């Protein structure tokens, strides 16, 4: 939140004798609706319970809506905090409108909760330093508080750590915020005319900058690849079989819920069942540890300690065989069956086969499962659904938890294609509870959400993902895969330890789309498809949530283009020239920049060590760079673009990278990073040419393509060793 600049203080302050919100219920004063039966907190209460807000987003936690003003030692300052927080929640309140300097944009309860923590820290610091009235506050107090607030102890017995400037800025902002509400406050306020730090912006006070880069780390490739490979396999291969099994389990539970307890009258049916099982050599159902059978240890029925009695009872339409006298009646038959056939988990005893990920060999999709085993597999496959949805859509945490069962939308375009959308809510930057929104996604995400809906079995409108704590879920999945033997069964890669979150996956996707157009995020997942879906989602809803992700992609793309341009400059300096028809033009442009850099160095020798100066000189060139899978396009002159000539669109603002013929276009260049792509094309063509299944005419057509690829590789090699 940014405060108005320049920040002014009232010349005179008229103190209210009684608070404008005295006697009001908090939700009525702020215009927020409560659910029926919720706690109704009054302004005078020192504990506000706002958990009953009807429109609260799912991502908000209970502690964020439980506001404890009692932690503020000075009672007068508790009222100050309450009045300012209500003014932030309801800036259109009549009393707030009378306050000329008050902020006019609504703040969310989550933001206000953070401000309450900062108010508590500031007010209690003043109390600890002998200040009893806000009129006594001076600039010295503000400076000392800021100096102490920039240090914190991250955990007990750890040394103090200095906070980032952006973190400290919130403490400074709260100190300044009180200035704006002097005419609203009833118990205390700063003296008239006093503005902490003379109204300077908070970020200048703490010495930071708002123009910092996104510092969320991406998921390293050695972790991303096995995680995505595992999750995609669970969703696409294991998931459908598991969903079928879960539906059988639910049907079984619904059928058996009203079964009566077994009596002596049921014993003949049980004996007939045991005899049939013996004849068919069907193992006894194995307990999962939840039944009373675990208590049997030393008596004559000890060999049956692993028997799931309730499963046996269900098969004769009873809920349990509980009495010892009933069990003794069937003990001989059960002991004989246990000795001859043994025990086995009840579910999925005849599982269909699936192909292993590693080698394609067919194996049963699962070993037999107990009820607990089914639940455990469901929990872990749901994590896989969440990972796929997050990694391939770029949705934020707040948007993921707002997805409901039945959120999928599917439409057919005029050209016969299919578009997949997820209906949810946009939370960030919107009013409390957000606004309806849709996210265009690829089919893999649509499939993952459909599977999650089947596994949950919840009614429409229920939350699809109750949590987005991926690190915990993946740790549990990694442990489950190893302990259950399923990783070896399915031929999945080992998932290494490492941090991973929805925010990191979003950042990874943005960087991948920006840096690897036409490449793969994981096997069979084309970045181009995700990029197209993102762009279409933005075009359909320019103000929607996908706009925010597209902006992040574009920022990452600009950073990547600058990195590639700087790399091309350094390559040229070291004698590694670009190849391709556009090489000469690029070399001249880079040499011009080098000359400018040398000229600047004559006046300031330090400029040679300043990367920022080099980036400034290269900024114009980096803005015309368009990255292709096998070349760079320096789109400086649209009239020279071969792709636009072929397409008949000479006035287009961007090149058609998909139509690029980089061996002929005068603005295309080839670099060392493109050599593997062209060499890979040669390998693929050789495979087709050597195959007896390919027609001779097709082989003849492929040979010129092979020769061109070899020529490009030779040119790259020659240019790289030109020095």
């Amino acid at each position: 939140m940014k405060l108005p600049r320049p920040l002014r203080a009232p010349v005179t302050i008229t103190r209210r004798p009684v608070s404008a919100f005295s006697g009001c219920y908090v939700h009525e004063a702020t215009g927020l609706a409560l659910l029926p039966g919720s706690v109704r907190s009054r302004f005078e209460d020192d504990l506000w319970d706002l958990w009953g807000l009807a429109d609260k987003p799912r991502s908000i936690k209970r502690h964020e809506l439980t506001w404890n003003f009692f932690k503020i030692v000075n009672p007068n300052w508790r009222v100050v905090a309450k009045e300012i927080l209500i003014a932030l929640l309801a800036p259109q309140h009549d009393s707030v409108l009378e306050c000329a300097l008050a902020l006019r944009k609504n703040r969310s309860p989550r933001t206000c909760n953070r401000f309450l923590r900062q108010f508590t820290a500031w007010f209690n610091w003043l109390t600890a330093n002998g200040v009893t009235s806000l009129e006594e506050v001076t600039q010295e107090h503000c400076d000392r508080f800021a100096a102490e607030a920039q240090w914190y102890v991250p955990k007990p017995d750890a040394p103090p750590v200095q906070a980032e400037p952006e973190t400290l800025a919130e403490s400074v902002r709260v100190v300044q915020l009180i200035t704006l509400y002097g005419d609203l406050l009833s118990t205390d306020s700063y003296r008239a005319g006093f503005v902490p730090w003379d109204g300077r912006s908070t970020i200048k006070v703490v010495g930071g900058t708002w123009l910092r880069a996104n510092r969320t780390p991406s998921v390293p490739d050695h972790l991303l690849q096995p995680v995505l490979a595992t999750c995609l396999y669970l969703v696409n291969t294991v998931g459908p079989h598991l969903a079928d099994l879960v539906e059988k389990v639910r049907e079984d539970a619904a059928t058996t819920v009203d079964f009566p307890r077994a009596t002596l009258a049921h014993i003949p049916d049980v004996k007939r069942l045991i005899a049939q099982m013996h004849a068919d050599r069907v193992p006894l159902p194995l307990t999962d540890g939840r039944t009373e059978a675990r208590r049997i240890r030393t008596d004559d029925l000890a060999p049956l300690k692993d028997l799931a009695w309730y499963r046996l009872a269900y098969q004769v339409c009873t809920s349990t065989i509980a009495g010892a006298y009933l069990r003794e009646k069937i003990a001989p038959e059960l002991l004989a069956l246990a000795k001859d056939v043994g025990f086995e988990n009840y579910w999925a005893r005849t599982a269909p086969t699936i192909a292993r990920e590693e080698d394609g060999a067919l194996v049963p999709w699962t070993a037999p499962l107990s009820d607990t085993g089914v639940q455990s597999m469901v929990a872990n496959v749901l994590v896989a659904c969440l990972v796929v949805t997050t990694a391939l859509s770029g949705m934020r945490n707040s948007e993921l938890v707002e997805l409901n069962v039945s959120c999928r939308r599917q439409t057919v375009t005029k050209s016969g294609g299919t578009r997949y959308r997820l209906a949810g809510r946009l939370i960030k930057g919107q009013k409390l509870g957000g606004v309806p929104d849709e996210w265009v996604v690829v089919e893999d995400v649509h499939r993952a959400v459909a599977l999650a809906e089947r596994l949950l079995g919840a009614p429409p409108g229920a939350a699809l993902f109750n949590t987005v704590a991926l690190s915990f879920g993946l740790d549990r999945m990694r442990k489950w895969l190893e302990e259950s033997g399923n990783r070896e069964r399915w031929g999945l890669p080992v998932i290494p330890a490492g941090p991973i979150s929805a925010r990191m996956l979003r950042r990874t996707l943005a960087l991948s789309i920006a840096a690897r157009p036409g490449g793969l995020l994981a096997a069979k997942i084309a970045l181009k498809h995700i990029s197209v879906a993102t762009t279409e989602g933005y075009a359909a809803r320019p103000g929607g949530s996908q706009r925010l992700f597209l902006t992040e992609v574009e920022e990452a793309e600009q950073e990547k283009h600058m990195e590639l341009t700087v790399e091309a400059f350094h390559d040229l300096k070291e004698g590694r020239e670009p190849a391709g028809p556009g090489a000469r033009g690029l070399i001249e442009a880079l040499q011009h920049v080098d000359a400018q850099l040398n000229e600047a160095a004559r006046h300031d020798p330090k400029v040679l060590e300043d990367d920022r100066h080099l980036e400034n000189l290269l900024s114009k060139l980096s803005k015309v760079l368009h990255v292709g899978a096998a070349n760079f396009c320096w789109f400086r002159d649209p009239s020279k673009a071969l792709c636009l000539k072929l397409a008949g669109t000479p006035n287009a603002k961007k090149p058609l990278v998909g139509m690029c013929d980089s061996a002929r276009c005068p603005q295309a260049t080839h670099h060392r990073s493109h050599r593997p792509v062209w060499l890979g094309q040669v390998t693929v063509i050789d495979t087709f040419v050597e195959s007896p299944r390919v027609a001779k005419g097709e082989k003849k057509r492929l040979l010129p393509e092979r020769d061109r690829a070899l020529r490009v590789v030779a040119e790259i090699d020659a240019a790289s060793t030109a020095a």
Side-chain angles (χ1 to χ4, degrees):
M1 181 184 77
K2 294 184 180 181
L3 302 182
R5 302 297 170 194
L7 187 63
R8 307 189 309 273
V11 178
T12 59
I13 296 178
T14 304
R15 186 73 53 79
R16 290 176 179 267
V18 180
S19 175
F21 312 111
S22 179
C24 294
Y25 285 107
V26 176
H27 70 282
E28 292 177 348
T30 57
L32 301 175
L34 288 181
L35 294 171
S38 300
V39 175
R40 292 154 55 91
S41 299
R42 287 188 179 274
F43 176 80
E44 288 75 15
D45 297 338
D46 284 336
L47 182 67
W48 291 1
D49 185 352
L50 305 179
W51 185 243
L53 290 178
D55 298 322
K56 64 178 181 290
R58 289 178 181 151
S59 57
I60 203 166
K61 303 296 188 294
R62 178 148 200 158
H63 69 85
E64 295 178 289
L65 294 178
T66 303
W67 298 358
N68 188 355
F69 296 92
F70 190 75
K71 292 181 179 180
I72 300 176
V73 176
N74 190 320
N76 288 337
W77 294 344
R78 295 177 196 168
V79 178
V80 171
K82 293 176 184 178
E83 290 172 332
I84 294 179
L85 292 182
I86 286 186
L88 292 173
L89 288 169
Q92 303 305 315
H93 190 282
D94 290 343
S95 298
V96 181
L97 291 174
E98 294 173 3
C99 188
L101 302 179
L103 301 179
R104 301 306 180 197
K105 182 179 179 181
N106 296 69
R107 308 298 163 177
S108 71
R110 175 174 279 161
T111 299
C112 291
N113 176 66
R114 295 202 316 268
F115 281 4
L116 175 58
R117 294 201 303 269
Q118 300 298 340
F119 277 132
T120 303
W122 170 230
F123 290 152
N124 288 348
W125 185 91
L126 291 174
T127 299
N129 284 271
V131 179
T132 58
S133 171
L134 293 179
E135 293 184 351
E136 303 172 16
V137 173
T138 65
Q139 185 56 51
E140 181 187 358
H141 291 119
C142 300
D143 290 336
R144 287 168 52 199
F145 171 71
E148 295 181 22
Q150 67 178 326
W151 294 94
Y152 69 98
V153 178
K155 56 184 179 181
D157 301 325
V161 176
Q162 189 170 15
E164 293 287 342
E166 292 79 7
T167 303
L168 180 59
E170 192 160 276
S171 299
V172 173
R173 189 177 298 116
V174 164
V175 173
Q176 292 183 321
L177 187 63
I178 300 172
T179 303
L180 304 178
Y181 293 93
D183 292 335
L184 178 69
L185 304 178
S186 61
T187 58
D188 203 357
S189 67
Y190 294 149
R191 66 183 183 276
F194 174 67
V195 183
W197 292 284
D198 295 326
R200 284 186 295 154
S201 67
T202 53
I203 204 65
K204 287 183 179 179
V205 172
V206 301
T209 175
W210 290 118
L211 301 178
R212 64 183 180 87
N214 189 326
R215 290 184 290 184
T216 301
S218 60
V219 181
D221 205 54
H222 77 274
L223 176 58
L224 177 68
Q225 294 301 323
V227 165
L228 274 182
T230 297
C231 292
L232 286 168
Y233 184 85
L234 291 178
V235 169
N236 296 328
T237 306
V238 176
H241 295 287
L242 177 60
D244 292 340
L245 177 60
V246 167
E247 290 170 357
K248 292 180 182 178
V249 172
R250 290 198 191 103
E251 183 180 349
D252 177 81
T255 302
T256 60
V257 66
D258 294 324
F259 281 173
R261 294 168 66 90
T263 64
L264 284 173
H266 295 100
I267 295 301
D269 293 335
V270 177
K271 288 187 175 183
R272 281 193 292 271
L273 170 65
I274 296 172
Q276 186 63 48
M277 292 174 66
H278 212 149
D280 296 339
R281 301 195 62 77
V282 176
L284 287 167
L286 185 65
T287 183
D288 56 10
R290 73 174 217 179
T291 69
E292 72 279 4
R294 282 293 185 186
R295 293 178 295 181
I296 301 173
R297 289 292 182 270
T298 58
D299 58 15
D300 293 340
L301 296 181
L304 301 177
K305 63 182 178 63
D306 293 323
L307 174 62
W309 290 90
Y310 71 98
R311 277 284 158 217
L312 200 65
Y314 286 170
Q315 296 180 69
V316 292
C317 299
T318 60
S319 61
T320 182
I321 305 174
Y325 68 97
L326 293 177
R327 295 180 178 181
E328 290 173 357
K329 295 286 186 181
I330 56 177
E333 291 85 352
L334 285 175
L335 290 169
L337 180 58
K339 183 178 180 181
D340 187 26
V341 181
F343 298 86
E344 188 178 55
N345 285 320
Y346 180 76
W347 296 108
R349 288 180 171 179
T350 56
T353 58
I354 58 175
R356 296 176 81 244
E357 174 73 2
E358 185 178 38
D359 53 19
L362 296 180
V363 295
W365 76 268
T366 182
L369 298 169
S370 64
D371 288 344
T372 302
V374 173
Q375 295 169 6
S376 179
M377 186 177 287
V378 167
N380 286 287
V381 174
L382 281 173
V383 171
C385 293
L386 175 60
V387 170
V388 171
T389 303
T390 305
L392 304 187
S393 71
M395 299 179 76
R396 296 179 182 272
N397 292 8
S398 58
E399 294 154 358
L400 288 166
V401 296
E402 292 297 329
L403 292 177
N404 294 331
V405 174
S406 299
C407 66
R408 291 176 296 125
R409 305 289 184 268
Q410 186 172 335
T411 57
V412 179
T413 64
K414 294 180 179 179
S415 61
T418 304
R419 290 293 175 266
Y420 304 99
R421 291 179 171 83
L422 299 182
R425 301 189 72 79
L426 172 60
I427 302 299
K428 185 177 177 65
Q430 304 300 320
K431 64 180 182 180
L432 183 65
V435 295
D437 197 15
E438 287 188 353
W439 196 284
V440 180
V441 296
V442 292
E443 185 178 1
D444 301 87
V445 174
H446 187 268
R447 194 182 302 119
V449 171
L451 176 61
E453 291 177 346
R454 288 187 67 190
L455 295 179
L456 283 174
L464 186 67
F465 301 119
N466 289 317
T467 178
V468 289
L470 289 183
S471 288
F472 172 78
L474 285 172
D475 286 344
R476 184 182 62 188
M477 177 194 292
R478 185 188 300 111
K479 183 178 179 181
W480 167 74
L481 286 170
E482 297 296 342
E483 292 181 350
S484 65
N486 283 329
R487 188 188 68 78
E488 181 63 29
R489 168 186 294 275
W490 296 326
L492 298 175
V494 176
I495 300 177
I500 190 168
S501 67
R503 183 175 296 178
M504 292 173 67
L505 286 173
R506 174 187 171 93
R507 182 63 176 162
T508 303
L509 182 60
L511 292 174
S512 298
I513 293 175
R516 291 185 286 173
L520 298 177
L521 183 68
K524 304 176 184 177
I525 302 299
L527 284 166
K528 185 64 177 176
H529 296 166
I530 303 174
S531 178
V532 169
T534 300
T535 305
E536 287 188 1
Y538 165 68
R541 291 173 176 264
S545 56
Q546 220 147 2
R547 173 188 63 83
L548 302 175
F549 179 63
L550 186 61
T551 300
E552 188 172 328
V553 170
E554 290 171 347
E555 291 174 353
E557 190 176 60
Q558 291 171 7
E559 294 174 6
K560 185 63 178 179
H561 288 183
M562 176 57 73
E563 179 185 326
L564 293 173
T565 307
V566 171
E567 182 181 339
F569 176 83
H570 288 310
D571 281 347
L572 182 62
K573 292 281 288 182
E574 295 171 8
R576 293 185 294 272
E577 297 181 352
R584 180 175 296 278
L586 177 60
I587 291 172
E588 291 175 353
L590 295 176
Q591 287 176 340
H592 179 68
V593 169
D594 189 33
Q596 289 180 294
L597 199 62
N598 292 333
E599 180 64 25
R602 295 176 186 175
H603 302 91
D604 184 2
K606 291 186 296 184
V607 84
L608 285 175
E609 302 175 1
D610 188 359
D611 289 338
R612 177 60 62 186
H613 185 67
L614 174 60
E615 290 178 2
N616 289 338
L617 292 175
L618 292 173
S619 62
K620 185 176 181 180
L621 190 60
S622 71
K623 289 177 181 178
V624 300
L625 171 60
H626 295 267
V627 180
N631 69 286
F632 292 161
C633 173
W634 306 90
F635 193 68
R636 292 186 290 172
D637 186 352
S639 65
K640 295 181 180 180
L642 179 61
C643 59
L644 300 187
K645 293 179 180 179
L646 295 175
T649 56
N651 298 321
K653 302 298 183 182
K654 291 184 178 181
L656 303 173
V657 178
M659 294 181 61
C660 183
D661 184 352
S662 62
R664 297 167 54 203
C665 181
Q667 298 188 119
T669 59
H670 303 131
H671 300 255
R672 290 180 302 158
S673 59
H674 301 128
R675 189 180 188 278
V677 180
W678 289 98
L679 204 57
Q681 185 179 13
V682 173
T683 304
V684 171
I685 293 175
D686 284 343
T687 302
F688 281 105
V689 170
E690 295 169 3
S691 173
R693 296 185 177 183
V694 178
K696 291 182 179 180
E698 182 64 17
K699 291 180 181 180
K700 187 176 181 180
R701 187 192 68 80
L702 289 173
L703 289 176
E705 293 292 327
R706 179 181 179 277
D707 294 339
R708 185 181 74 155
L710 285 172
R711 186 172 63 254
V712 171
V713 172
E715 290 173 354
I716 293 174
D717 291 341
S720 298
T721 58

